[in-house]
Amino acid sequence: MPPVLAPAPAGSTRRAFLAASAGLALLVAGCTAGSAEAPAVSTEEADRLAGQVAVQEAVVAAYAAATTADPALTLSDLAAQATEQLDRLRAAAPSPTASPAASSAAPPAPPAGGDVRTWLREQVAAAASAHARACARQTGARAALLGSIAAGLRGHEAALA
């Protein structure tokens, strides 16, 4: 009589294995990262992060401008995500004051009678690129945050396509 193979337990799927592996990696990274004091933020890093706050403020303003220019656009979820990203950037910025570049970073107005969605997608793509470039010039959690926001904005760009 041939041997009967027992079915695999329900919890041992490939997805469960990947989730457990990712969780273990985060646990190990968290244990090693928390064991030493966080490095001080250099003035240059702080200034660059403040510049990225201004970039994200421009994204939030672009969503507001696009919604005003074309009320038929349903952008509330994406706009809320952009605002949440801005809040996280502000919390990570070492200085509680607003950057002087914030007022000059506002996007241009959407084209009158033009394709507002395409304009917004271009604004989001430019911000994602700026965050990705700045990510390489930061360290630790600030770099991870900028990378995460850049990736999130790339998702917005795809959703706006």
Side-chain angles (χ1 to χ4, degrees):
M1 175 182 241
V4 176
L5 297 175
S12 64
T13 64
R14 192 176 298 175
R15 184 175 292 168
F17 175 74
L18 290 173
S21 298
L24 181 61
L26 288 174
L27 177 66
V28 169
C31 290
T32 58
S35 62
E37 284 189 31
V41 178
S42 71
T43 304
E44 294 81 20
E45 280 184 302
D47 290 346
R48 285 191 297 265
L49 192 59
Q52 295 312 300
V53 170
V55 168
Q56 194 64 27
E57 287 172 341
V59 170
V60 171
Y63 272 106
T67 303
T68 300
D70 187 356
L73 290 175
T74 54
L75 304 171
S76 60
D77 289 344
L78 296 177
Q81 289 173 9
T83 301
E84 180 183 316
Q85 292 166 338
L86 174 59
D87 292 342
R88 290 186 354 225
L89 264 176
R90 284 181 176 154
S95 172
T97 60
S99 70
S103 60
S104 64
D115 186 0
V116 176
R117 189 178 208 89
T118 298
W119 171 84
L120 179 59
R121 187 173 63 241
E122 291 167 355
Q123 301 301 308
V124 168
S129 295
H131 289 323
R133 283 189 307 274
C135 172
R137 301 179 69 197
Q138 292 286 336
T139 58
R142 292 174 304 280
L145 175 61
L146 285 171
S148 171
I149 292 172
L153 290 178
R154 290 295 179 202
H156 286 211
E157 183 183 2
L160 292 166

